[in-house]
């Protein structure tokens, strides 16, 4: 994902849709023009997770996630999560199951943004 971000010169919201799609990582199946399902937001304590779907074998899973941690007076942090292999987390799982899977290092890698 960082390569995609860098290809856009850090301007994901200012380039046209065709440029975004043409530079999308080949291992990510996500259509920003017809997002079905839509990006999902989950709040857990001081963390807000933005979840992006991925289609694998005609089923939807959590493809990657961005977490923003806000600790008032202590600073903020942003992390990205990506699955170790194919995503094991079904998109329609409840919020607590998805958060547990994201925090499970056997399922997802967490890296500072």
């Amino acid at each position: 994902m960082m390569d995609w971000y860098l290809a856009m010169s850090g301007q994901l919201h200012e380039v046209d849709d065709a440029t975004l799609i043409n530079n999308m990582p080949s291992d990510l199946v996500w259509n920003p023009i017809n997002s079905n399902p839509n990006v999902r937001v989950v709040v857990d304590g001081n963390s807000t997770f933005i979840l992006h779907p991925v289609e694998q074998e005609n089923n939807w899973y959590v493809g990657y996630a961005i977490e923003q941690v806000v600790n008032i007076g202590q600073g903020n942090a942003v992390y990205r999560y990506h699955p170790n292999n194919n995503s094991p987390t079904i998109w329609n799982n409840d919020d607590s199951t998805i958060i547990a899977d994201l925090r499970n290092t056997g399922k997802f890698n967490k890296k500072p943004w």
Side-chain angles (χ1 to χ4, degrees), residues 2-109:
M2 188 55 104
D3 292 337
W4 188 35
Y5 182 76
L6 293 174
M8 303 298 107
S9 300
Q11 303 298 316
L12 291 176
H13 298 288
E14 296 179 18
V15 298
D16 60 275
D17 291 335
T19 302
L20 281 174
I21 292 168
N22 290 337
N23 286 283
M24 188 178 298
S26 61
D27 61 345
L28 179 67
V29 179
W30 169 57
N31 185 343
I33 296 172
N34 183 22
S35 293
N36 184 15
N38 290 323
V39 172
R40 183 171 165 185
V41 176
V42 176
V43 177
D44 183 53
N46 292 339
S47 294
T48 299
F49 292 87
I50 301 170
L51 310 172
H52 295 267
V54 64
E55 186 177 18
Q56 297 173 171
E57 298 181 353
N58 298 317
N59 294 304
W60 290 101
Y61 293 82
V62 174
Y64 72 96
I66 299 169
E67 175 188 24
Q68 183 168 2
V69 182
V70 179
N71 292 315
I72 304 300
Q74 298 175 2
N76 301 332
V78 178
Y79 301 97
R80 58 189 163 97
Y81 293 77
H82 62 276
N84 291 330
N85 294 299
N86 291 333
S87 179
T89 305
I90 296 170
W91 184 255
N92 291 331
N93 279 343
D94 61 82
D95 292 352
S96 61
T97 300
I98 289 175
I99 298 303
D101 280 2
L102 289 172
R103 291 186 171 146
N104 180 336
T105 57
K107 294 181 179 185
F108 282 86
N109 288 313

